Amino acid sequence: MNVKPTAGAASIALLLLLAGCGGPRPQLLDATQQALAAVRSDQLTFRLLDQRRLPAATADVVLQDMTDELTAAEKATAQVAASSDIDRRDRDDVLKAIRAAVSAALSSEYCLDRAAVCTRAGQELASVAEQLDALVASLEAGR
């Protein structure tokens, strides 16, 4: 018996893909991009603070908000269901990078609260941003 694909079958496949049945990659990509945006905001906050273009109180609020964003991305990533070894590896890689970003963000907040020189915190943020950039590229490419 020769069965031809129908428009209905194609529609169902498209709906399943759009509904998130195409694996965890879109969720991981969203969380990674959310984390990267938060880290970039922290970096910008420190640059503006160094240039004396941002009051410390405002910087503190921004850093706290971005830490909240990172925590939300971490929670979303931890809840991603992975059905294969590749999906689990991707999820674990993203989770590791986001947890490093949370740590860097908390270090940044601590540094600002202590009115200390924040060179190390800035380096941590830069390192984490590179990790997240690489993960975004990898997830977008579909490995």
Side-chain angles (χ1 to χ4, degrees), residues 5 10 18 23 31 38 40 45 50 52-53 59 65 70 72-73 80 94 105 113 137 140 142:
L18 292 175
R40 294 285 190 219
T45 299
D50 286 345
R52 302 195 190 293
R53 296 175 55 197
D65 286 350
L70 289 166
V80 169
V94 169
D113 288 343
E140 286 177 336

Side-chain angles (χ1 to χ4, degrees), residues 39-54:
V39 169
R40 294 285 190 219
S41 293
D42 280 358
Q43 289 177 303
L44 177 60
T45 299
F46 274 107
R47 275 196 301 275
L48 293 174
L49 194 59
D50 286 345
Q51 296 169 1
R52 302 195 190 293
R53 296 175 55 197
L54 189 67

Side-chain angles (χ1 to χ4, degrees), residues 9-138:
S11 296
I12 290 171
L14 180 61
L15 285 174
L16 288 173
L17 183 63
L18 292 175
C21 297
R25 191 168 307 255
Q27 295 165 295
L28 294 174
L29 181 58
D30 287 345
T32 306
Q33 289 172 328
Q34 178 183 1
L36 181 58
V39 169
R40 294 285 190 219
S41 293
D42 280 358
Q43 289 177 303
L44 177 60
T45 299
F46 274 107
R47 275 196 301 275
L48 293 174
L49 194 59
D50 286 345
Q51 296 169 1
R52 302 195 190 293
R53 296 175 55 197
L54 189 67
T58 303
D60 189 48
V61 171
V62 172
L63 294 176
Q64 288 176 15
D65 286 350
M66 293 307 102
T67 299
D68 291 346
E69 286 294 317
L70 289 166
T71 303
E74 179 184 14
K75 183 178 178 182
T77 302
Q79 294 175 349
V80 169
S83 59
S84 72
D85 288 342
I86 292 172
D87 291 344
R88 275 187 286 284
R89 187 188 70 223
D90 286 345
R91 182 197 55 211
D92 292 348
D93 288 348
V94 169
L95 200 50
K96 181 180 176 183
I98 291 174
R99 286 181 175 155
V102 170
S103 177
L106 290 172
S107 294
S108 299
E109 282 185 53
Y110 180 81
C111 174
L112 183 63
D113 288 343
R114 301 296 177 257
V117 176
C118 299
T119 304
R120 182 161 188 252
Q123 291 169 342
E124 287 179 37
L125 288 170
S127 174
V128 167
E130 287 178 20
Q131 290 174 17
L132 292 168
D133 265 332
L135 280 170
V136 166
S138 175

